[in-house]
């Protein structure tokens, strides 16, 4: 069993704490990092991958400080950054051979691993095609493959499904679930459904600090009795509800409008009922988004 402990981690830039006294323990499985832009998710991931050094605090892997483990720790890491660059003239296979060499993988074992990963991410048939001609989603799959080349014990993925279509995202989620039994996987994304589908625990970060962490049951329990559905036919009522409540969603039917809202108490509208919370409700509640989704 792998164990990664983040203890009182702080990263300061000037007078701003990009991460502020973060303490988390990771074990095998998928962990979702959820938070708005600028919350500190990427800073945390870069410290975990040793790309930046903490101002304070420490990171412990299996009871040893990663400073002491040094290169042995880095050999355990697979990383897909948010901005992933490729050599456009390289084929997918050639690019993975190049990264494989950088990671010290050679010979038959390297070739077999590359073919295995190209199959895994659905790119084997186009392995000899220039990566520069790939779609954004295909390039992202190359990025996922390179992160897995060294069979990492800790896999850190920053916005891994950016640019993927729904089918590709489903394939990605299945892949991550498949390999998570023997790895710590830390996943940051703005796509709430990805975290909802595969994470065993979600860590919500705001302004550099942990706002809440726990499994789905823990997180949803804090929202019980706060999410309601209101049906109305009056546009005046729609405006009134928008002015007085946090509206998550507006769905316009043929003869009525249904609004999904967050409120500490049940609104006094005729057709109002409590509904089960979803991750989208949690995100709206804790991160105070201004935009309402309308369908």
């Amino acid at each position: 069993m792998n164990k990664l402990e983040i203890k009182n981690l702080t990263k300061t830039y000037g007078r701003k704490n990009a991460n502020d006294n973060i303490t988390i323990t990771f074990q095998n499985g998928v962990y979702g990092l959820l938070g708005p832009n600028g919350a500190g998710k990427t800073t945390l991931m870069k410290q975990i991958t040793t790309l930046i050094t903490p101002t304070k605090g420490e990171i412990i892997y299996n009871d040893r400080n990663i400073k002491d483990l040094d290169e042995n720790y880095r050999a355990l890491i697979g990383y897909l950054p948010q901005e992933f660059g490729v050599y456009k003239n390289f084929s997918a296979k050639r690019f993975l051979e190049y990264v494989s060499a950088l990671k010290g993988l050679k010979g038959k074992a390297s070739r077999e691993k590359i073919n295995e990963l190209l199959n895994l991410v659905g790119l084997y048939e186009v392995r000899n095609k220039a990566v520069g001609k790939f779609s954004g989603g295909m390039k992202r799959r190359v990025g996922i493959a390179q992160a897995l080349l060294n069979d990492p014990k800790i896999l850190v993925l920053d916005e891994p499904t950016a640019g993927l279509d729904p089918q590709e995202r489903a394939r990605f989620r299945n892949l991550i679930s498949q390999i998570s039994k023997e790895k710590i996987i830390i996943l940051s994304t703005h796509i709430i459904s990805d975290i909802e589908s595969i994470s065993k625990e979600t860590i919500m970060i705001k302004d550099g600090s942990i706002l809440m962490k726990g499994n789905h049951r823990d997180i949803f329990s804090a929202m019980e009795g706060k999410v309601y559905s209101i049906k109305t036919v009056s546009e005046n009522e729609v405006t009134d509800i928008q002015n007085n409540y946090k509206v998550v969603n507006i769905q316009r039917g043929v003869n009525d409008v249904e609004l999904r809202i967050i409120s500490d108490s049940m609104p006094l509208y005729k057709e109002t009922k409590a509904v089960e919370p979803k991750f989208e409700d949690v995100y709206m509640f804790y991160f105070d988004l201004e935009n309402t989704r309308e369908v």
Side-chain angles (χ1 to χ4, degrees), residues 192 196 212 215-229 248 260-263 273-286:
I192 297 170
E196 191 169 13
M212 175 180 283
N215 58 34
H216 293 182
R217 184 181 299 174
D218 297 333
I219 289 172
F220 288 154
S221 65
M223 294 293 295
E224 289 293 336
K226 295 182 185 292
V227 187
Y228 297 91
S229 170
V248 177
R260 187 179 183 92
I261 72 157
I262 296 170
S263 174
K273 64 180 181 178
V275 293
E276 291 293 319
K278 300 178 180 178
F279 255 96
E280 187 177 31
D281 305 316
V282 174
Y283 197 94
M284 289 285 286
F285 181 74
Y286 285 104

Side-chain angles (χ1 to χ4, degrees), residues 1 16 22 54 69 89 96 98 105 132 174 207 261:
M1 174 68 73
K16 178 178 172 59
I22 289 179
L69 289 168
N89 294 326
L96 292 178
Y98 169 71
L105 306 174
N174 291 338
D207 298 328
I261 72 157

Side-chain angles (χ1 to χ4, degrees), residues 144-162:
I144 292 167
Q146 65 81 29
L148 290 168
L149 274 169
N150 58 326
D151 194 20
K153 296 298 182 184
I154 302 167
L155 184 61
V156 180
L157 306 169
D158 197 354
E159 298 290 344
T161 57

Side-chain angles (χ1 to χ4, degrees), residues 17-46:
N17 284 340
N19 287 154
D20 189 5
N21 201 37
I22 289 179
T23 296
I24 320 168
T25 297
F26 300 101
Q27 294 181 316
N28 288 356
V30 182
Y31 294 82
L33 297 183
L34 193 60
N37 286 333
K41 305 185 301 295
T42 295
T43 300
L44 176 61
M45 296 170 115
K46 285 185 174 180

Side-chain angles (χ1 to χ4, degrees), residues 114-153:
I114 288 168
N115 288 334
E116 174 193 332
L117 290 172
L118 286 167
N119 273 307
L120 195 63
V121 299
L123 293 175
Y124 187 79
E125 296 302 320
V126 292
R127 63 192 180 280
N128 294 316
K129 183 177 179 180
V131 176
K133 295 181 180 179
F134 281 5
S135 67
M138 292 168 74
K139 289 176 184 175
R140 210 70 188 151
R141 281 189 267 157
V142 173
I144 292 167
Q146 65 81 29
L148 290 168
L149 274 169
N150 58 326
D151 194 20
K153 296 298 182 184

Side-chain angles (χ1 to χ4, degrees), residues 9 15 120 128 158 172 194 217 224 235 266 269 287:
L9 207 66
R15 296 182 179 180
L120 195 63
N128 294 316
D158 197 354
F172 165 80
D194 288 343
R217 184 181 299 174
E224 289 293 336
E235 286 296 333
M266 179 175 279
Y269 293 91
F287 300 123

